[in-house]
Amino acid sequence: MPPLIRLMACLFALIVAMGVGRFALTPLLPHLIAEGQVSLTGAGLVAAANYLGYLVGALDAFYASSPRQARLRLVAGLWATVLLTLASALAEGFWPHVLLRFALGVTSAWVLVVVTGLSQRIAAEANRPRLGSLVFAGPAFGVMLTGALALELNLQGQGSAMLWLAFGVLALLLTLATHPLLPHPQAPTVTTIQPVPRRPRSLYALLAAYGLVGLGYIIPATFLSQMAAARFHGQWQADLFWPAFGLAAAIGVVLVSLRRQRPGGTRRWLVVALWLQALGTLACTLPGMAGLVLGVILSGGPFLAGMQLVMQYARELDPQGHSRNVGLLTAAFALGQLAGPLLAAASSHFSGDLQPALYAAGAGLLLAGALMARPGANPAGANSFAKQDAVLPCGSEFIRE
């Protein structure tokens, strides 16, 4: 099967797992709150359950020790995402949504981790690493699709149950089309035992920064639709912000994938991305439509592009230890994004709104950018887009060192 077809299957898998399984909650929060199923504080806890599940699923996926185990997680993750999303249409109240979002966090992480390994291996073997980067526009397209569906159903006056059902049907159709085309994990053809080098000191700064990114991005990414609904008092214009966020994220992925490679360029792009995201998060605190528009552009654009840049910079800092470092980075990111909704829940409980949480998130992203802007943090010199063996974050079947 041509590499392009297999990479497209990976992109569709990310639409299902991330666009539906992980981020479909965002356009549904205004409904769940308006219907009395959860409070704003409860919504933060429901989101936290999703990100706790993501942490559990990501850690589990990293321990897949054979191609068969990785394949099982990929297929089970996709189909479980379909079934759990459809089941969400029947859920009523706080605890059912907590349990379902936790389970969907696990399944979305399974798919993301395995697809990351598969897509980057395929792109490296085809000498098309930029195509491997473009796969990560999948979550952005998923956000656009679910946002557009939510807009249409909201115009028809539908409630949360119908939205969950529509998202589940979307996931089902995409999974039916994608399953036969999914690439298979492969055992390594060459095994070379090498001494494990020490991690460069700059990697620890990246680790701290990525944890702060998880904390910073997740609050606008989770509560954008609710903030828009509150400011527009339920008018249909509020539903435009979430698909626009996905569009901005897709454009950001394309720009980063097509950038020219220069010495130290990845770090500089990362600093700019983090500070733009910080400004976008802080802009969401401004009153009226202008603040949210700026938030969508400045926070949405670097949303997925920043994650790409972090992984590329980690590979430049420590090419030989990239697989183990991705595991650490993912864990730090997951802990940060788990803390974000808890911070939002505390903010809404004590102050009645999300303003304090947004200020904290923006400050965290500013600090993350400052950590990356320090002199002397440039890598020794690996090229992010150079042809190289895939060193990837999911078990030995994806690692070729």
Side-chain angles (χ1 to χ4, degrees):
M1 191 180 299
L4 184 59
I5 298 298
R6 290 182 288 165
L7 289 172
M8 286 296 295
C10 290
L11 184 144
F12 288 155
L14 291 184
I15 291 177
V16 173
M18 303 299 288
V20 176
R22 190 156 164 221
F23 291 115
L25 179 65
T26 299
L28 271 153
L29 279 183
H31 288 276
L32 297 179
I33 292 172
E35 293 168 6
Q37 296 198 44
V38 298
S39 64
L40 182 58
T41 300
L45 297 176
V46 170
N50 188 233
Y51 305 133
L52 177 61
Y54 173 81
L55 174 60
V56 171
L59 292 174
D60 173 71
F62 282 122
Y63 287 101
S65 58
S66 69
R68 181 177 176 275
Q69 290 179 2
R71 175 73 180 182
L72 178 62
R73 284 167 173 80
L74 175 58
V75 173
L78 281 174
W79 284 107
T81 297
V82 173
L83 296 176
L84 290 166
T85 304
L86 291 171
S88 297
L90 304 175
E92 183 75 30
F94 175 76
W95 284 110
H97 283 296
V98 164
L99 296 174
L100 285 165
R101 297 314 298 173
F102 175 83
L104 279 160
V106 173
T107 60
S108 64
W110 281 349
V111 176
L112 175 66
V113 173
V114 177
V115 163
T116 297
L118 285 170
S119 62
Q120 302 313 290
R121 174 179 60 80
I122 293 166
E125 290 176 352
N127 196 21
R128 301 292 297 276
R130 293 181 190 272
L131 286 180
S133 296
L134 289 173
V135 165
F136 294 99
F141 291 136
V143 167
M144 292 168 62
L145 285 171
T146 56
L149 265 177
L151 172 61
E152 176 61 28
L153 292 173
N154 289 341
L155 288 174
Q156 297 176 20
Q158 302 293 338
S160 64
M162 185 58 67
L163 264 70
W164 283 122
L165 183 62
F167 293 166
V169 170
L170 171 66
L172 174 62
L173 294 175
L174 287 172
T175 300
L176 286 170
T178 302
H179 188 173
L181 305 176
L182 286 173
H184 288 261
Q186 297 178 7
T189 56
V190 178
T191 302
T192 303
I193 299 176
Q194 298 179 348
V196 178
R198 294 184 61 182
R199 292 186 178 94
R201 292 180 62 183
S202 297
L203 188 72
Y204 292 100
L206 181 62
L207 190 66
Y210 203 37
L212 291 170
V213 172
L215 169 66
Y217 98 95
I218 202 61
I219 294 177
T222 301
F223 295 99
L224 179 64
S225 291
Q226 175 57 29
M227 290 186 287
R231 295 187 194 185
F232 284 84
H233 307 290
Q235 298 179 34
W236 67 270
Q237 290 90 343
D239 299 319
L240 295 173
F241 286 90
W242 186 236
F245 189 89
L247 176 61
I251 293 172
V253 169
V254 172
L255 289 176
V256 167
S257 299
L258 298 179
R259 68 188 175 90
R260 294 184 63 182
Q261 186 69 21
R262 301 177 187 275
T266 302
R267 181 180 65 85
R268 290 192 292 270
W269 274 70
L270 177 57
V271 171
V272 172
L274 293 177
W275 282 346
L276 285 175
Q277 203 167 9
L279 293 176
T281 301
L282 294 172
C284 291
T285 65
L286 299 175
M289 183 176 68
L292 286 182
V293 170
L294 283 173
V296 165
I297 296 171
L298 297 178
S299 184
F303 166 45
L304 296 170
M307 299 177 192
Q308 284 179 271
L309 290 165
V310 165
M311 293 304 171
Q312 290 168 2
Y313 186 48
R315 184 170 61 191
E316 293 176 8
L317 286 172
D318 187 13
Q320 297 302 318
H322 186 56
S323 58
R324 57 179 180 146
N325 294 335
V326 167
L328 282 175
L329 287 164
T330 301
F333 184 77
L335 288 172
Q337 69 176 6
L338 174 59
L342 296 177
L343 176 63
S347 174
S348 63
H349 178 73
F350 290 108
S351 71
D353 59 36
L354 296 172
Q355 296 285 94
L358 287 166
Y359 287 131
L365 288 163
L366 287 172
L367 178 56
L371 288 171
M372 293 295 93
R374 294 182 311 155
N378 283 325
N383 185 328
S384 292
F385 297 133
K387 186 180 186 299
Q388 54 188 288
D389 290 332
V391 184
L392 297 158
C394 184
S396 60
E397 73 276 13
F398 301 119
I399 300 173
R400 295 187 173 194
E401 296 183 305

